[in-house]
Amino acid sequence: MSESTDPASPADRIAAGYAFTGPALELGALLWDGACLPDRQIRIPLSMLNRHGLVAGATGTGKTKTLQLIAEQLSAGGVPVFLADIKGDVSGISVPGTANDKIAERAEEVGQAWEAAGFPSEFYSLGGIGPGIPLRATVTSFGPVLMSKVLQLNQTQEQSLGLIFHYADTKGLELIDLKDLRAVVAFLVSDQGKAELKGIGGLSTVTAGVILRALTAFEQQGASEFFGEPEFDTGEFLRTAADGRGLVSVLELPAVQDKPQLFSTFLMWLLADLYTDLPEVGDLERPKLVFFFDEAHLLFNGASKAFLESITQTVRLIRSKGIGVFFVTQTPKDVPADVLAQLGNRVQHALRAFTPDDAKALKATVKTFPNSAYDLEELLTGLGTGEAVITVLSEKGAPTPVAATRLRAPQSLMGPLDAAALDAAVKSSLLHSRYAEPVDRESAYEKISAEQAAAEAAAEAAAAEAEAEKQAKEAAKAARGAPKPDPSLAEQVVGSGLFRSLARSIGTQLGREISRSIFGTAKRRR
């Protein structure tokens, strides 16, 4: 393969596929026949960024720098960006980079006029786990369908969970955090609560037990930190800075990279919330927002079927809302095939073929590209750091020719901010005072606890009253059946038969004497 000035040469035909008329991001210069051609620029149309994309490659090949390069140019073009930063590598996007010989050499090779620049950024964390403004959602806004997918419930259990949400809504029991949901489930299978659902279907003890166990496992992943108030308004991600540049929202995830279920839960909620809130806009000159999910294999490894179905559907539909999604991972096979099919823009860094599995992955990757003038198997194993094989969608939506590219250098700091600078950036944000402190207002848990406490107190009072009444009755009964006390000596004498006989005798004699004196009779003389 040798370069030619003939317009029909392979290099020119490839470059012609990237000669767009509208605004475009500059990715780098074409590589052909071992040479870098700075006059043949490889670009991606700004209007095609909502068609989603993939940045893939082995560890150390420059994926994160490519992510940073694209994010910088989106911000400069007035497009807000969301970066899920698993390793904490991209927080440096907020401050200017430092010039050095390597950057100067790369800029000259690719025809880049490099200038150090930082970009307006906000830093977030999941529920306050790690540095950043906490992102929280309420259980109610999450909804029963999404919650069922996260908890991996079957159809019957999902219907029961929907019933629980409906009951809570009609009874004014706000589901703010997971303890609220747990309290409602436990109440509805209690003796007091069973009657509440009889009219609308009921809830079996077995199903309630499954839901409660799933909630416990979910909480062990750290989910209790994510659910609560104040709930984050996802519209904050759509903001631009005062100078018109798009705001770069960096979600710091190093503290939760061992909790993939929490990460995937957040992603599902965020995309679903945006999809629900945003109007249909079709294809725009520039997207409303572009997401980048670094280390995407952590997102998909061990993911449930329900989660994969949800992501596939959301990626397919959210394009019409003006939202673009880029996955950054090691090989295309890390991304499910149905999701991969939705990714029209591809930046493939070098792959390794050290093992049979590596070789198999390499062949599979080559098959995902359009026909190429390159020997892609050979090319993909020989690319250097900061080089990639690229194909994107043209302004007409057709795939561009495959182009080996030496990529430009990011203008911001290619590395993380130090802890003190990151903390200062977080606390200086206007959003910090709005979202930093959690709020635990009265909701389902408190209301049910109060009702149960009142019911228990009433039951205890009734039981005490019944016990007192019982004791009073027993005391009265005991008093009626008690033996009479022993009589005194005088009572014994008076009550004796001899005393009564003597009393009768004395009484008779005395009576006679009294009657004689009254009626004038005398004692008969003998």
Side-chain angles (χ1 to χ4, degrees):
M1 296 182 297
S2 59
E3 182 187 356
S4 170
T5 57
D6 181 349
S9 71
D12 284 330
R13 286 198 298 271
I14 293 171
Y18 294 85
F20 310 123
T21 58
L25 308 186
E26 304 289 343
L27 299 180
L30 180 67
L31 288 171
W32 182 258
D33 199 19
C36 183
L37 310 177
D39 58 333
R40 293 174 174 84
Q41 291 292 308
I42 304 304
R43 312 155 75 218
I44 179 171
L46 189 58
S47 60
M48 289 293 108
L49 266 295
N50 70 329
R51 299 299 183 93
H52 314 315
L54 175 72
V55 179
T59 301
T61 56
K63 299 187 301 296
T64 303
K65 302 301 181 292
T66 299
L67 177 160
Q68 195 167 340
L69 172 68
I70 297 174
E72 288 178 351
Q73 294 187 63
L74 284 169
S75 175
V79 178
V81 176
F82 178 93
L83 301 177
D85 186 13
I86 291 286
K87 298 180 294 184
D89 288 347
V90 296
S91 56
I93 196 170
S94 62
V95 298
T98 303
N100 56 43
D101 292 342
K102 287 186 177 180
I103 289 177
E105 181 181 355
R106 174 57 62 98
E108 183 178 357
E109 288 173 346
V110 300
Q112 177 184 10
W114 188 90
E115 291 183 1
F119 296 83
S121 303
E122 295 274 20
F123 298 95
Y124 300 96
S125 63
L126 283 184
I129 304 175
I133 299 164
L135 298 180
R136 302 183 185 92
T138 64
V139 171
T140 295
S141 74
F142 208 73
V145 175
L146 204 53
M147 185 65 75
S148 296
K149 294 182 185 301
V150 170
L151 299 180
Q152 301 183 34
L153 304 181
N154 62 29
Q155 185 177 6
T156 300
Q157 294 156 358
E158 180 179 341
Q159 291 171 349
S160 295
L161 188 61
L163 192 65
I164 293 166
F165 272 72
H166 174 72
Y167 171 80
D169 183 53
T170 56
K171 295 295 183 178
L173 298 173
E174 295 87 351
L175 299 177
I176 304 299
D177 50 29
L178 291 181
K179 73 177 184 294
D180 289 326
L181 181 56
R182 179 185 294 279
V184 173
V185 175
F187 171 73
L188 290 175
V189 292
S190 68
D191 292 338
Q192 183 183 356
K194 283 180 180 178
E196 293 286 321
L197 281 179
K198 283 185 178 179
I200 50 175
L203 176 67
S204 75
T205 303
V206 173
T207 298
V210 171
I211 294 172
L212 290 173
R213 286 193 297 273
L215 282 172
T216 298
F218 192 30
E219 287 172 324
Q220 290 173 348
Q221 277 277 322
S224 56
E225 300 289 338
F226 173 60
F227 289 97
E229 288 185 320
E231 182 173 63
F232 188 78
D233 179 3
T234 55
E236 303 284 8
F237 295 139
L238 301 174
R239 294 179 297 145
T240 55
D243 60 5
R245 291 184 297 171
L247 193 67
V248 180
S249 299
V250 183
L251 178 61
E252 293 295 328
L253 293 169
V256 296
Q257 59 181 299
D258 60 338
K259 298 178 174 66
Q261 189 179 12
L262 179 58
F263 178 29
S264 60
T265 296
F266 166 75
L267 173 60
M268 292 172 71
W269 167 75
L270 176 56
L271 294 180
D273 193 71
L274 285 169
Y275 180 78
T276 301
D277 290 347
L278 293 175
E280 294 279 343
V281 293
D283 290 325
L284 301 172
E285 290 185 1
R286 63 186 66 200
K288 288 186 175 181
L289 176 68
V290 178
F291 283 87
F292 291 88
F293 293 101
D294 200 4
E295 303 293 333
H297 62 281
L298 297 177
L299 185 67
F300 295 112
N301 282 351
S304 67
K305 181 180 179 182
F307 170 74
L308 296 178
E309 289 175 352
S310 177
I311 287 293
T312 302
Q313 182 180 19
T314 303
V315 169
R316 181 182 298 119
L317 298 177
I318 205 169
R319 177 189 67 80
S320 64
K321 306 282 187 165
I323 304 296
V325 180
F326 274 69
F327 296 101
V328 184
T329 189
Q330 294 181 1
T331 71
K333 71 174 185 177
D334 293 332
V335 180
D338 288 342
V339 176
L340 190 63
Q342 308 299 317
L343 310 182
N345 303 298
R346 303 280 300 278
V347 180
Q348 178 66 60
H349 287 264
L351 291 174
R352 310 302 181 211
F354 299 140
T355 69
D357 285 344
D358 290 341
K360 185 177 179 180
L362 174 62
K363 290 182 181 295
T365 299
V366 169
K367 291 179 180 178
T368 64
F369 280 92
N371 291 333
S372 167
Y374 299 93
D375 180 342
L376 286 180
E377 284 194 38
E378 179 181 349
L379 178 61
L380 286 173
T381 56
L383 290 171
T385 301
E387 297 177 347
V389 171
I390 293 174
T391 180
V392 301
L393 294 179
S394 71
E395 291 167 311
K396 295 181 179 180
T400 59
V402 175
T405 307
R406 184 162 295 163
L407 297 163
R408 294 185 169 212
Q411 296 173 274
S412 56
L413 178 65
M414 289 185 277
L417 284 178
D418 63 68
L422 179 57
D423 185 63
V426 170
K427 291 181 178 177
S428 65
S429 169
L430 296 177
L431 300 182
H432 186 264
S433 60
R434 190 181 308 171
Y435 295 108
E437 292 300 322
V439 177
D440 190 12
R441 64 183 174 92
E442 184 183 59
S443 51
Y445 172 79
E446 287 78 13
K447 290 179 180 179
I448 290 175
S449 297
E451 288 180 2
Q452 289 178 334
E456 289 174 4
E460 289 177 0
E465 184 178 351
E467 182 64 22
E469 184 178 346
K470 178 182 177 182
Q471 290 180 357
K473 289 181 179 179
E474 290 178 350
K477 181 179 179 181
R480 289 194 300 270
K484 295 181 178 179
D486 294 337
S488 64
L489 179 61
E491 290 173 330
Q492 293 181 35
V493 172
V494 172
S496 68
L498 178 63
F499 181 83
R500 288 196 297 271
S501 177
L502 179 61
R504 285 194 299 271
S505 176
I506 293 173
T508 303
Q509 184 65 30
L510 182 60
R512 288 173 181 166
E513 293 295 330
I514 292 173
S515 64
R516 286 192 183 106
S517 63
I518 293 175
F519 293 107
T521 59
K523 185 178 179 180
R524 184 180 298 174
R525 296 180 182 274
R526 294 188 178 181

